[in-house]
Amino acid sequence: MASKTPTISDPRVSLPGLDLKNPIMTASGTFGYGLEYASFGKLEDLGAIVVKGLSLKPRAGNTMPRIAETPCGMLNAIGLQNIGVERFLEEKLPALPHDTTPVIANLYACDAAEFGELAAALAADERMGALEVNVSCPNVAAGGQAFGQDPKQAAAVTRAVKDAAGDKPVMVKLSPNVADITTVAKTVADAGADMLTCINTLLGMAVDLKTRRPRLANVVGGLSGPAIKPVALRCVWQVCQAVDIPVIGVGGISNATDVLEFILAGAHAVQIGTANFMRPDTVFSIVNELPILMNGYGVMTLDDLRGTLET
């Protein structure tokens, strides 16, 4: 009697305008422009590549020191250092596997009009898969308050990007540094966002008792890593209850079990961030491990698990 061929779990994910081989994306700011990690695995195997934040013109970033380790995490105040959109499109994008793996640009700007201009420049390139809007950056015209801390400002940026994005899907990356993340999520969704990314870093700081100085030149920075996973998971679950558009979970994910936990809470896909610094092959390992883990839990497709958390 012939043995029965075992059923293999299917990790594919369908998102607005994007079909992914698996739910594993990289998180902006932790994977460079993608090429820096090409020696640790096949970029083609990833669900999507989210590159570091891009601005219209090159940015030098903040003064050193810009990174500080913390228990179960890290603080960063890089200041969105990048080569600018023009050089990215000319030098980096052509070398990425954009034909087989969606490349997603993360956008940084100082006002809604600039966001729209940047979105237009990126959307005009057919090799771009989608746009991710960083609403955690400061609105210079509003005294430096982050766009994502004011639902009206976040909505204005979302509309500006959507108007300029053409047929490119737009995802908005939400800040956890708010009183109620669901209020911002609903406002941004109503403004036309196709997807939401939850969450960006939490504000934090570290000090040096010997020098009596902050460990970051910027004093405060963004906290990421395993320490913020419970916060990220809570935000994803809350936002999934509040909106009808797909949510991408990010925050402290470092293995395939974490991935399935975020899917269980309602996420459609995930992004891997700080774990890339601890082990640069992390995303590639998770891609390989995920179907095996799914099979072990009897999950044939991610749709079977998504949002089935019993509360």
Side-chain angles (χ1 to χ4, degrees), residues 4-308:
K4 186 177 179 181
T5 302
T7 303
I8 300 175
S9 295
D10 183 356
R12 289 178 295 178
V13 176
S14 291
L15 296 172
L18 298 173
D19 289 320
L20 310 185
K21 296 182 286 290
N22 57 68
I24 309 303
M25 302 180 178
T26 58
S28 177
T30 67
F31 208 69
Y33 299 104
L35 303 174
E36 295 88 337
Y37 283 78
S39 62
F40 297 101
K42 286 186 176 182
L43 296 176
E44 296 88 343
D45 291 344
L46 302 177
I49 301 168
V50 184
V51 301
K52 68 183 305 180
L54 294 168
S55 51
L56 280 173
K57 301 298 181 182
R59 284 178 55 88
N62 291 331
T63 304
M64 301 284 189
R66 306 191 296 192
I67 291 178
E69 292 187 30
T70 64
C72 297
M74 64 174 278
L75 286 165
N76 93 84
I78 302 299
L80 292 155
Q81 175 185 342
N82 74 98
I83 59 176
V85 64
E86 184 176 343
R87 283 188 59 195
F88 170 75
L89 293 175
E90 292 178 356
E91 301 174 12
K92 305 297 184 181
L93 184 56
L96 291 170
H98 49 79
D99 290 334
T100 58
T101 302
V103 176
I104 301 173
N106 181 279
L107 283 62
Y108 165 82
C110 295
D111 57 51
E114 188 178 350
F115 267 109
E117 186 179 354
L118 178 58
L122 288 161
D125 195 310
E126 62 181 14
R127 297 169 296 184
M128 289 305 313
L131 307 179
E132 182 180 67
V133 187
N134 177 11
V135 293
S136 293
C137 49
N139 182 350
V140 175
Q145 181 188 39
F147 292 99
Q149 292 179 321
D150 182 336
K152 291 183 179 180
Q153 292 183 34
V157 167
T158 302
R159 284 191 291 267
V161 173
K162 278 294 293 180
D163 289 346
D167 61 352
K168 302 297 184 187
V170 173
M171 49 210 294
V172 178
K173 191 169 186 177
L174 302 181
S175 170
N177 303 307
V178 293
D180 181 6
I181 195 170
T182 63
T183 299
V184 183
K186 287 186 282 190
T187 305
V188 167
D190 290 342
D194 299 297
M195 294 169 274
L196 300 175
T197 306
C198 294
I199 54 177
N200 213 321
T201 56
L202 282 75
L203 280 178
M205 66 179 291
V207 299
D208 187 323
L209 187 58
K210 292 181 180 178
T211 63
R212 300 191 182 186
R213 298 184 62 82
R215 291 189 180 274
L216 296 175
N218 202 56
V219 184
V220 298
L223 177 65
S224 62
I228 76 165
K229 180 189 164 189
V231 178
L233 200 58
R234 182 265 298 175
C235 288
V236 165
W237 178 75
Q238 288 182 322
V239 169
C240 286
Q241 309 301 306
V243 301
D244 294 325
I245 59 176
V247 173
I248 313 302
V250 55
I253 301 172
S254 57
N255 54 56
T257 298
D258 291 339
V259 173
L260 291 188
E261 289 180 3
F262 274 80
I263 302 295
L264 177 62
H268 271 68
V270 300
Q271 294 180 359
I272 314 298
T274 301
N276 295 315
F277 297 135
M278 297 185 288
R279 275 192 53 175
D281 64 342
T282 294
V283 284
F284 306 107
S285 296
I286 293 176
V287 165
N288 293 329
E289 295 165 5
L290 185 61
I292 300 171
L293 186 64
M294 289 172 62
N295 211 309
Y297 280 100
V299 176
M300 292 299 100
T301 71
L302 294 176
D303 288 339
D304 298 335
L305 180 66
R306 184 176 296 109
T308 60

